[in-house]
Amino acid sequence: MRPSGRQPDQMRSITIQTGFARHAEGSALIRVGGTEVLCTASVENRVPPFLRGKGTGWVTAEYGMLPRATHTRGNREAAKGKQSGRTQEIQRLIGRSLRAVTDLDALGEMSITLDCDVLNADGGTRCASITGAWVALRLALGKLVATNVLPRLPLRGQVAAVSCGLTTEGAVLDLDYVEDSSASADTNFVLTADRRIVEIQGTAESAPFTEDAFDNLFALARKGVTELFEAQVAAVEAAEKQRA
């Protein structure tokens, strides 16, 4: 039995609350078990210098954790004067994941920044950030279409992410902190709704794992993201119905 009492292929509870940040063009507070991440999408009528005059847009991300998002207080990175390598790696991952499903040419010379702030961390914060950021991005783009700023939605599809790992219970889906901290292998799968791969991160914490074990993890990830895609669609539909 897993520490949480879940079955090996069972996700934690998933809720996505939209409109949490009232001033952002799009926002989503995603809860996956004990992990909570506030994702906001901010639209600007400008692009980075390397894209000026090229008629294409940009999607990027920033990621951070509140000091008491974890069991013990962490120092604010702003107080240190620099971001940690982990923070930089995660926000780049989020940005890549969202750009993979965005038609940047159709966006035009606008930038959208996805801010992902971890309120409570219980494993899988980068995966929850990607999943919630897609909802925030989708709502922001929908608002641009509704206000006639854009003629159509510049999205190619959905993207979501989930963690899987090898523990004493075998291959399991959606690791919480207890499992993540003791897993013999930890993987993060960033996948699209049309069954394509954006990124896979996999690490053996002790002994190398086999291809068969990886295949088992991948199958679990496919099952998990299916639930995440359904939650994303339900959240967007509810938000747009309320707006109408």
Side-chain angles (χ1 to χ4, degrees):
M1 182 67 69
R2 300 173 69 177
S4 62
R6 289 180 288 146
Q7 296 299 313
D9 64 347
Q10 185 178 356
M11 291 283 293
R12 292 175 287 177
S13 61
I14 306 161
T15 62
I16 303 176
Q17 178 184 349
T18 60
F20 189 84
R22 68 183 67 179
H23 301 298
E25 282 79 12
S27 68
L29 176 61
I30 182 169
R31 298 181 176 93
V32 183
T35 290
E36 298 178 309
V37 185
L38 175 59
C39 306
T40 60
S42 301
V43 180
E44 295 181 285
N45 290 311
R46 60 178 181 173
V47 292
F50 70 92
L51 288 176
R52 288 175 188 165
K54 295 185 178 179
T56 188
W58 187 243
V59 174
T60 188
E62 293 190 10
Y63 168 94
M65 297 181 68
L66 294 185
R68 278 315 299 266
T70 53
H71 295 89
T72 58
R73 186 184 186 278
N75 293 325
R76 295 183 188 273
E77 292 185 339
K80 297 179 182 178
K82 64 177 182 179
Q83 291 179 315
S84 68
R86 176 182 181 274
T87 294
Q88 293 181 54
E89 184 262 325
I90 291 176
Q91 62 190 28
R92 288 169 183 163
L93 170 64
I94 299 168
R96 287 196 302 273
S97 301
L98 274 297
R99 288 193 296 273
V101 293
T102 304
D103 186 343
L104 296 176
D105 290 336
L107 181 60
E109 291 202 8
M110 288 189 289
S111 294
I112 300 180
T113 301
L114 285 310
D115 286 295
C116 300
D117 294 288
V118 180
L119 310 182
N120 288 293
D122 187 24
T125 61
R126 72 185 65 195
C127 294
S129 295
I130 291 168
T131 304
W134 183 88
V135 175
L137 175 64
R138 170 62 180 80
L139 293 175
L141 293 174
K143 186 174 182 179
L144 293 175
V145 173
T147 54
N148 298 315
V149 175
L150 293 175
R152 64 178 179 85
L153 201 65
L155 270 181
R156 297 192 178 101
Q158 284 175 259
V159 67
V162 70
S163 65
C164 299
L166 299 177
T167 70
T168 55
E169 308 301 322
V172 297
L173 172 64
D174 188 22
L175 302 177
D176 56 28
Y177 175 77
V178 172
E179 292 175 320
D180 188 33
S181 62
S182 61
S184 61
D186 179 21
T187 56
N188 297 301
F189 293 86
V190 186
L191 308 173
T192 67
D194 57 357
R195 300 185 65 81
R196 292 184 293 166
I197 298 167
V198 174
E199 188 157 338
I200 298 174
Q201 301 176 330
T203 304
E205 300 293 346
S206 53
F209 56 96
T210 65
E211 290 186 23
D212 286 343
F214 173 81
D215 291 340
N216 290 336
L217 294 170
F218 199 178
L220 287 173
R222 285 287 187 201
K223 180 180 185 298
V225 293
T226 298
E227 296 183 41
L228 294 172
F229 292 137
E230 291 173 353
Q232 286 176 329
V233 170
V236 170
E237 289 180 347
E240 294 195 331
K241 182 178 180 180
Q242 184 177 17
R243 185 175 64 188

